[in-house]
Amino acid sequence: TLDAGGYLTVSGRIDDCFRTDAGRIVSPASVAAALDGYPGVTETAVVPLAGSTGTVLGVLVESDRQMSVADLRWHLSRSLPAWSQPRVIETTGAIPRLSSGRFDRRACIAILERSLVSDNPA
């Protein structure tokens, strides 16, 4: 939760959090929660990505309809602090899953890192 003074209190598993290239601790659960209930979003996978300057945030959004990444960014900008904004957002019809039904984090990271590289050519 974010209090009126702008301080973040992390509830749940701190080991799921990570430090971004801006030096801030980000909770993937809080980013996913910000997209809960957004029209058309059925699931989200929020993962750390290896950016050129350090760890950045990536979000893979599952939806059964066409979604605008710009609209998703606008929505997140209204509900999350600037340092929690994802660098990469991609939409998909189905988030990759393991046989257990859990998200395949490695596959999600691979999809999002391809977008990160294409957005920042060397």
Side-chain angles (χ1 to χ4, degrees):
T1 57
L2 195 62
D3 69 16
Y7 291 97
L8 177 69
T9 300
V10 178
S11 301
R13 296 177 52 129
I14 192 69
D15 61 341
D16 286 340
C17 297
F18 54 89
R19 187 175 304 276
T20 67
D21 61 347
R24 301 288 194 133
I25 303 266
V26 175
S27 166
S30 66
V31 177
L35 288 168
D36 283 350
Y38 186 84
V41 173
T42 53
E43 294 278 351
T44 56
V46 182
V47 294
L49 304 174
S52 60
T53 59
T55 303
V56 297
L57 185 64
V59 179
L60 191 58
V61 176
E62 181 179 283
S63 179
D64 58 0
R65 65 173 95 159
Q66 191 75 6
M67 302 205 71
S68 163
V69 170
D71 289 345
L72 292 169
R73 285 191 183 284
W74 180 83
H75 175 75
L76 289 172
S77 73
R78 296 184 61 212
S79 52
L80 292 173
W83 48 266
S84 284
Q85 300 298 316
R87 179 81 49 90
V88 178
I89 301 175
E90 288 289 326
T91 61
T92 183
I95 292 176
R97 294 187 182 273
L98 300 169
S99 59
S100 66
R102 295 179 59 170
F103 296 141
D104 184 338
R105 288 176 47 89
R106 288 185 181 149
C108 292
I109 289 169
I111 290 167
L112 292 166
E113 282 186 341
R114 281 193 297 271
S115 294
L116 183 64
V117 169
S118 68
D119 286 347
N120 299 310

